[in-house]
Amino acid sequence: EGTARNPLRQAAADAEQGNTDELSAPKRPLNRNVKITLCYQPSLNVCTSLATASPLAAYVLLRTGSNARVGYAVGAMGVANLCAAFPAAWLADRWSRTAVIRTAVIIGAFGFCSLVASVVLGDHIHANKQFLCICASTAIVGCFVGSQSSAVEAIFGDSIPSGSRSRLYVRKQSLRVLGTAAGPL
């Protein structure tokens, strides 16, 4: 049929029949860093989507009645993320990636705890003070997200053999999207 002479048609025919041995890299056991990242990524996205996406925006809108304040609260995280990302990436390259991640986790734990506290204690403080606490908390969470991202990505990339990168990056991205979608549910 012509598939024997055309390698692309032969590869497509093999893929349809489930014979993808030549198309994929050899399967090796996953590195510990890869396994941790594949578990960490969706967990992080579930937490951040619960804490800082639609539920937080709805809460701030209901509590303050201001769309502008919703933008400030969510924007604080984005600006802090951007401001923290570049210095953290520089430190991760020059210092230690694991030390940057550990520091970021401490910052993130403080940020998430302060965000939970500002919401839980919301009935006991004035709405304006609570709004400022929420903005400060989302900024701290933004510092965490910006600080950890480049170091985690670098360790993940360094831990994957070159022939397996695309498959594992697709898996990680799919888990990231799943975590983001599952959070508000």
Side-chain angles (χ1 to χ4, degrees):
E1 272 185 37
T3 58
R5 285 182 269 165
N6 188 335
L8 293 176
R9 285 187 184 168
Q10 183 63 43
D14 287 345
E16 285 178 12
Q17 295 172 358
N19 183 9
T20 57
D21 294 340
E22 293 181 16
L23 298 177
S24 63
K27 304 248 180 181
R28 297 179 187 148
L30 292 179
N31 179 302
R32 178 178 174 264
N33 292 331
V34 173
K35 290 178 186 177
I36 290 171
T37 304
L38 292 176
C39 292
Y40 169 76
Q41 196 66 59
S43 302
L44 172 68
N45 283 51
V46 166
C47 291
T48 55
S49 66
L50 275 175
T52 60
S54 301
L56 179 71
Y59 181 79
V60 170
L61 181 63
L62 290 173
R63 185 79 168 121
T64 65
S66 169
N67 284 329
R69 288 191 170 199
V70 171
Y72 294 139
V74 174
M77 181 179 169
V79 170
N81 185 339
L82 179 66
C83 291
F86 293 111
W90 183 82
L91 283 172
D93 282 342
R94 301 219 175 1
W95 187 32
S96 166
R97 292 175 181 159
T98 55
V100 169
I101 292 171
R102 287 181 182 133
T103 305
V105 166
I106 292 168
I107 292 168
F110 178 70
F112 281 112
C113 288
S114 65
L115 183 60
V116 168
S118 64
V119 170
V120 169
L121 300 174
D123 293 338
H124 304 292
I125 58 177
H126 189 268
N128 287 334
K129 283 185 182 180
Q130 183 189 25
F131 168 71
L132 292 175
C133 290
I134 288 173
C135 286
S137 299
T138 57
I140 294 169
V141 170
C143 286
F144 157 68
V145 172
S147 297
Q148 60 82 34
S149 63
S150 60
V152 169
E153 289 295 326
I155 289 175
F156 183 76
D158 290 346
S159 300
I160 303 171
S162 62
S164 304
R165 285 200 175 127
S166 61
R167 177 178 53 89
L168 289 171
Y169 271 101
V170 167
R171 184 180 297 172
K172 185 171 78 70
Q173 183 62 23
S174 299
L175 290 170
R176 176 183 287 172
V177 170
L178 180 68
T180 303
L185 295 178

